[in-house]
Amino acid sequence: MSGQAKDRRTRVTVLVALGVNLFIAAAKAAAGLVAGSPALLSEAAHSVADSMNEVFLLAALRRSRRPADQRHPFGYGKERYFWSLLAAVGIFVMGGCFSFVQGIGALHSHHRESTVGYVAGLAVLGVSLAAEGGSLLRALHQVRGQRGGIGSDPALRTVVAEDSTAVLGVLLALAGMVLHMVTGREVWEATASLSIGLLLVYVAYRLGKDARDQLIGEAVDPELRDSIRALLDHQPEIDRVADLLTMRLGLDSTLVAARIDLRPGLDSEDVELVCERIKASVAQTWPTADQVFLDITDAPPNTRR
């Protein structure tokens, strides 16, 4: 499947998640204000944060496919990681911090909500659980059909993380509201809000760490690196691979830079032809390795094989 086709599927998945989150955010906020439930309001903030993050991911899908230009000769593939980092920050600030505020406030509150408010809140959470579950199933279905799994696309990874967290958050809010209703103790909803906050902070940390690693410049998997080195080692014109550096430039773009020592006896014209053939072989074997650079070095005589 081409990169554009993958992006179209991911865009549909993000749009489904966005529609679901906008709907349930409004429903949770309305029910939370009526019931005065801190757990429900924490979940409303969670859904608002997820909605904004889906807007970030849509921007990432559009901007990361722009062609390379003079200012960005390696393309805009890392736009995905930048917008994914913003999404992680949004989860932390809007979701996690608001949930902590609600939970701490609930610990000092002795207000008991009405039965009508509880019923409305529980009904909204039930609908939210079904909607979030459907969105999560859509994202997981795409992951199963995508080569490279969930780790290959930061936008899809973020949607799966958000939907999974949303399902867990709804279950925590349901448990907190039910226990509050049964026992009359606000501490249960406060605990649910604080737990939702901790969950969101953890997810934001993991997503932010992954995006940070990619923005700094992360090498390809060791297995792929070893395969590239093996291909270079088997070239009859290469006497020694002095060094091999790799870096992911985007979802479908990888930089490969190798310092190689060619066998003695090759003239300048042969060297040029050999380098072009080797680069073409690497790109043909791994289509994502679209930026291949070979640096010809002169090894000391005692290091030659």
Side-chain angles (χ1 to χ4, degrees):
M1 185 183 297
S2 67
Q4 287 78 8
K6 290 179 182 179
D7 278 1
R8 283 194 293 270
R9 292 190 61 192
T10 302
R11 187 176 293 106
V12 172
T13 300
V14 174
L15 287 172
V16 169
L18 176 59
V20 167
N21 281 314
L22 287 174
F23 169 73
I24 62 178
K28 288 175 182 177
L33 291 173
V34 171
S37 167
L40 200 50
L41 290 174
S42 294
E43 270 302 293
H46 181 182
S47 296
V48 170
D50 286 351
S51 299
M52 291 192 65
N53 293 338
E54 262 100 51
V55 174
F56 290 155
L57 297 180
L58 290 173
L61 291 173
R62 180 178 61 85
R63 296 176 64 87
S64 65
R65 286 294 176 184
R66 289 182 295 171
D69 52 35
Q70 290 186 346
R71 189 172 182 181
H72 298 89
F74 293 109
Y76 291 82
K78 289 196 175 185
E79 285 266 15
R80 288 179 184 258
Y81 311 123
F82 169 74
W83 292 100
S84 295
L85 179 61
L86 289 186
V89 174
I91 293 174
F92 176 81
V93 175
M94 296 190 61
C97 293
F98 185 84
S99 296
F100 282 129
V101 170
Q102 288 294 313
I104 294 172
L107 288 175
H108 299 86
S109 173
H110 302 286
H111 174 67
R112 181 181 176 87
E113 290 82 356
S114 66
T115 302
V116 175
Y118 275 119
V119 172
L122 292 174
V124 167
L125 287 176
V127 173
S128 299
L129 183 61
E132 296 284 12
S135 178
L136 176 60
L137 289 176
R138 158 77 198 191
L140 291 176
H141 176 73
Q142 181 176 344
V143 170
R144 284 195 296 269
Q146 178 168 297
R147 185 178 180 181
I150 189 173
S152 62
D153 188 344
L156 184 58
R157 181 171 62 245
T158 301
V159 172
V160 172
E162 287 180 348
D163 288 344
S164 302
T165 307
V167 170
L168 290 175
V170 169
L171 292 175
L172 287 171
L174 277 169
M177 289 188 69
V178 169
L179 289 172
H180 184 190
M181 181 171 60
V182 172
T183 64
R185 300 181 61 187
E186 185 80 17
V187 67
W188 291 112
E189 281 203 67
T191 301
S193 293
L194 293 174
S195 299
I196 292 170
L198 288 173
L199 179 64
L200 293 175
V201 168
Y202 173 74
V203 171
Y205 166 75
R206 290 300 303 271
L207 291 175
K209 181 179 182 299
D210 290 341
R212 169 186 172 274
D213 290 342
Q214 295 289 357
L215 285 172
I216 291 174
E218 191 172 50
V220 300
D221 297 333
E223 294 81 4
L224 177 56
R225 184 180 182 278
D226 291 342
S227 297
I228 296 174
R229 177 179 281 274
L231 183 146
L232 296 176
D233 282 333
H234 283 84
Q235 301 302 311
E237 298 86 358
I238 294 181
D239 194 45
R240 185 177 68 100
V241 179
D243 200 5
L244 177 62
L245 305 175
T246 63
M247 183 172 66
R248 295 191 182 278
L249 301 175
L251 192 60
D252 299 315
S253 181
T254 301
L255 183 146
V256 177
R259 295 188 180 95
I260 59 175
D261 175 30
L262 298 178
R263 64 175 176 81
L266 292 176
D267 58 33
S268 59
E269 292 185 0
D270 290 336
V271 169
E272 183 178 354
L273 292 175
V274 165
C275 289
E276 291 301 321
R277 181 182 59 78
I278 293 174
K279 289 193 285 186
S281 178
V282 172
Q284 183 177 4
T285 307
W286 299 279
T288 58
D290 57 340
Q291 303 289 342
V292 182
F293 300 90
L294 299 178
D295 180 23
I296 310 301
T297 63
D298 292 325
N302 60 349
T303 63
R304 294 182 183 275
R305 292 185 300 190

